[in-house]
Amino acid sequence: MALSARSMSALKAAVFLAALVPVARIGWALAFDPDALGANPAEFITRSTGDWTLRFLLLTLAVTPLRKALGWHWLAGWRRMLGLYAFFYGVTHFASFVSFDHVFVLAEILKDIVKRPFITVGVTALALMLPLAITSTDRMVRRLGAKRWRALHRLVYLIAPLGVLHFWWMVKADLTEPAIYAALLTVLLGYRVAARLREAKRKAARNRRAPLPQPNA
Amino acid sequence: MLIRRPDHIRPAEITPRPFYERRRALLKLAGAGSALGAAGLLAAAGRAAEPTLGLEKLPNVARSALSTTEPATAYKYVTTYNNFYEFGTDKDDPMQYAKRLKVRPWTVAVEGEVERPRTFAIEDLLKFPLEERVYRLRCVEAWSMVVPWVGFEFNALAKLVQPTSRARFVEFVTAYRPEEMPGVRLPVLDWPYVEGLRIDEAMHPLTIMAVGLYGEVLPNQNGAPVRLVVPWKYGFKSAKSIVRIRFVAQQPKTAWEKAAPNEYGFYSNVNPGVDHPRWSQRRERRIPELFAKRETVLFNGYGDQVARLYAGMDLKKFY
């Protein structure tokens, strides 16, 4: 798939705007049409922002496999945007928990975070996203150095499973939706494991075919 | 644990008889007036001007001193935001799919430890003297509503079948119809839905069999044609679309107990002091409010009437 630089950046801008639709819809409804969010608007907002956090996390993790498997190398330039949207929706999700559910009563919020494993896990995932968001700028990449930056950003391999676990532990009875997220995550992480294994095998094979020169040969 | 005994229905909240009788007379007049007007419609039992689905109206509905004076949650919310897993686990699934449920003919078999087991046709049940009961409804998911039910006390039904001395619990069974209930295809719960009460809880005057909502017959999504309403317990205790009632000697195993015994106990009384393992029960969100600013009250505010049922019981153990 080859795209001109101009249509590429137009596409990226379109995705940037589309990613704002869920939050724009909520903002519009709160301001002008509360019934659009149903009988329990707080629940709608919490669910929606939580869903979008997970979706953007999965999209971020899909960039590398798609790039490698389909040769869509232009996707590399989207990863930061997608990751930052995951963080943005995670923060919105947390804000609705703090405000709508706990009306800013700090003691109750802290008690909930410590006492409820699914909340502990969710808050941990969000906290781990913070350093990634902070170090997402070009300047921070340069300051850290590519190697350390990459090591730090491997945290996403922990964050995404924690996010799915948070959803899994939250639902009451019907696990269909969390199971879908878990399956997608397994594919995305499984791709990486498989790639690693393939790479290791290839190296081993190469080493066998071309043995290191023996000292006395 | 300190059991607070709030007097949530304060004496001042109960409208004295002359007042509400006068109010009814006024409403009749208003009804006549609006009948002449363009709208021409008036919901029964004084729920004027509330847009409903326009289902069959229930006649001769008396008011009750057991009703709260808190403003009722709008009909549109009560009928669009439901937990009725037989039709799906999303809140709007019941509204969409419960139409498929055939509520006529309908019978309720009342059996077990009784002198006179009997199967009631829904028509028989509608002949009980009907009252409007405006009750607070507190869901275990930490939201709440105020619902104007129409129904009759369960004890009136029990009187007809004469429970024996062996009857210590009552089991309520919801209809199970795979061809009309798309939600039962998933093994979310062990169908059919079973709920249960201790006999003294069932016989309490607050416990009603509801056949109506806002003066009309129940919409299917709210548990048509007949359901249980136990206002001091979490909503899931109030089984919907009931087909069988059994008086039994042993404590029934309820559907939610079977699904998650550590989360949903047999009693499931509304209690801000006993958290759900996954969330706090201290606050509640009154639909459609955005913020959960209300503090939940023990026994959903019905402590004055029901606390004595649990005298000496450890409510943390028997949650």
Side-chain angles (χ1 to χ4, degrees), chain A residues 56-188:
Chain A
F56 278 109
L57 271 173
L58 293 182
L59 284 171
T60 311
L61 283 172
V63 166
T64 299
L66 286 175
R67 225 181 49 176
K68 289 196 175 155
L70 303 174
W72 293 1
H73 295 292
W74 45 271
L75 266 182
W78 292 31
R79 196 168 62 175
R80 167 164 48 194
M81 176 177 82
L82 295 171
L84 282 172
Y85 266 122
F87 180 66
F88 168 73
Y89 278 103
V91 169
T92 322
H93 183 62
F94 183 68
S96 66
F97 159 78
V98 165
S99 59
F100 303 147
D101 292 353
H102 287 297
V103 289
F104 305 103
V105 181
L106 189 65
E108 278 182 32
I109 295 164
L110 293 175
K111 197 179 138 204
D112 236 16
I113 293 175
V114 176
K115 215 176 150 186
R116 327 249 167 243
F118 91 97
I119 298 176
T120 315
V121 162
V123 169
T124 306
L126 183 65
L128 291 175
M129 282 164 91
L130 186 65
L132 306 202
I134 291 171
T135 60
S136 65
T137 60
D138 291 341
R139 228 174 97 181
M140 287 304 282
V141 181
R142 272 196 302 273
R143 238 172 97 176
L144 281 173
K147 206 171 166 188
R148 266 191 296 168
W149 186 90
R150 220 175 295 135
L152 176 66
H153 281 248
R154 287 210 181 97
L155 271 177
V156 72
Y157 299 136
L158 182 59
I159 293 165
L162 286 176
V164 172
L165 186 65
H166 165 69
F167 189 23
W168 192 285
W169 281 351
M170 187 275 292
V171 299
K172 207 160 95 172
D174 184 358
L175 286 168
T176 317
E177 272 188 68
I180 293 170
Y181 285 103
L184 290 171
L185 181 65
T186 308
V187 170
L188 294 174

Side-chain angles (χ1 to χ4, degrees), chain B residues 17 20-21 24 28 44-47 58-67 128-134 148-153 208 215:
Chain B
R17 180 178 281 271
Y20 71 71
E21 277 175 351
R24 268 155 85 185
K28 256 185 206 154
R47 310 239 143 252
L58 292 166
N60 307 320
V61 177
R63 284 179 73 107
S64 166
L66 293 169
S67 287
F128 278 90
L130 299 181
E131 280 183 22
E132 183 179 67
R133 294 280 177 99
V134 187
W149 303 108
V150 177
F152 54 90
E153 290 179 13
I208 59 165

Side-chain angles (χ1 to χ4, degrees), chain A residues 35 43 101 116 170-171, chain B residues 76-77 81 275 278 285:
Chain A
D35 275 357
E43 182 184 67
D101 292 353
R116 327 249 167 243
M170 187 275 292
V171 299
Chain B
K76 64 179 171 185
Y77 299 130
Y81 190 77
D275 285 349
R278 284 177 290 146
R285 174 179 289 123

Side-chain angles (χ1 to χ4, degrees), chain B:
Chain B
M1 186 196 142
L2 178 75
I3 301 174
R4 242 180 348 141
R5 298 188 58 177
D7 43 349
H8 206 74
I9 296 195
R10 296 184 302 275
E13 265 189 73
I14 299 168
T15 314
R17 180 178 281 271
F19 276 82
Y20 71 71
E21 277 175 351
R22 200 168 62 205
R23 201 187 293 159
R24 268 155 85 185
L26 276 169
L27 282 162
K28 256 185 206 154
L29 270 174
S34 79
L36 294 170
L41 283 167
L42 197 79
R47 310 239 143 252
E50 177 72 17
T52 65
L53 287 167
L55 305 177
E56 188 191 331
K57 248 178 227 175
L58 292 166
N60 307 320
V61 177
R63 284 179 73 107
S64 166
L66 293 169
S67 287
T68 172
T69 52
E70 287 171 71
T73 306
Y75 186 88
K76 64 179 171 185
Y77 299 130
V78 178
T79 56
T80 58
Y81 190 77
N82 306 99
N83 277 326
F84 197 166
Y85 278 18
E86 281 81 345
F87 298 101
T89 53
D90 283 343
K91 294 287 187 294
D92 55 354
D93 284 338
M95 161 185 80
Q96 289 184 53
Y97 303 117
K99 294 179 193 70
R100 300 183 193 171
L101 183 69
K102 293 190 193 82
V103 295
R104 294 290 189 282
W106 191 279
T107 56
V108 181
V110 187
E111 55 192 41
E113 301 289 351
V114 293
E115 297 291 350
R116 296 165 180 272
R118 184 174 157 185
T119 296
F120 292 86
I122 186 65
E123 291 77 13
D124 303 332
L125 296 177
L126 289 167
K127 278 182 204 138
F128 278 90
L130 299 181
E131 280 183 22
E132 183 179 67
R133 294 280 177 99
V134 187
Y135 281 162
R136 289 177 291 274
L137 167 83
R138 169 62 158 78
C139 178
V140 72
E141 297 165 342
W143 52 266
S144 65
M145 295 183 179
V146 176
V147 186
W149 303 108
V150 177
F152 54 90
E153 290 179 13
F154 176 80
N155 57 49
L157 179 91
K159 225 169 274 167
L160 294 185
V161 296
Q162 298 174 14
T164 69
S165 59
R166 289 173 51 82
R168 292 183 53 232
F169 295 90
V170 189
E171 181 183 278
F172 299 86
V173 184
T174 296
Y176 170 73
R177 299 186 187 166
E179 65 288 356
E180 295 169 29
M181 297 173 149
V184 302
R185 270 178 247 146
L186 283 175
V188 176
L189 291 171
D190 186 6
W191 315 110
Y193 193 90
V194 171
E195 256 310 334
L197 295 173
R198 219 169 53 190
I199 187 100
D200 56 340
E201 297 176 323
M203 302 301 264
H204 193 280
L206 281 171
T207 302
I208 59 165
M209 300 298 290
V211 292
L213 174 70
Y214 270 97
E216 301 176 358
V217 294
L218 282 174
N220 289 3
Q221 59 265 43
N222 294 85
V226 58
R227 65 169 294 169
L228 182 68
V229 176
V230 195
W232 71 92
K233 292 177 178 283
Y234 292 120
F236 68 88
K237 291 296 292 180
S238 297
K240 303 186 180 80
S241 305
I242 290 170
V243 292
R244 189 172 327 128
I245 298 171
R246 281 163 44 95
F247 289 79
V248 291
Q250 301 294 324
Q251 180 174 308
K253 261 276 182 223
T254 70
W256 277 108
E257 262 186 298
K258 282 194 251 178
N262 60 326
E263 300 190 357
Y264 309 100
F266 176 78
Y267 286 93
S268 287
N269 292 314
V270 175
N271 187 345
V274 177
D275 285 349
H276 184 282
R278 284 177 290 146
W279 56 83
S280 158
Q281 296 290 23
R282 278 206 48 202
R283 314 186 152 272
E284 67 196 57
R285 174 179 289 123
R286 181 66 51 85
I287 300 294
E289 289 169 1
L290 201 49
F291 293 93
K293 58 187 179 211
R294 285 163 204 270
E295 297 203 0
T296 291
V297 183
L298 182 62
F299 300 123
N300 203 18
Y302 296 98
D304 278 0
Q305 291 100 317
V306 302
R308 61 178 171 79
L309 299 178
Y310 310 102
M313 268 175 77
D314 180 352
L315 295 176
K316 285 206 161 150
K317 193 172 162 211
F318 298 99
Y319 57 91

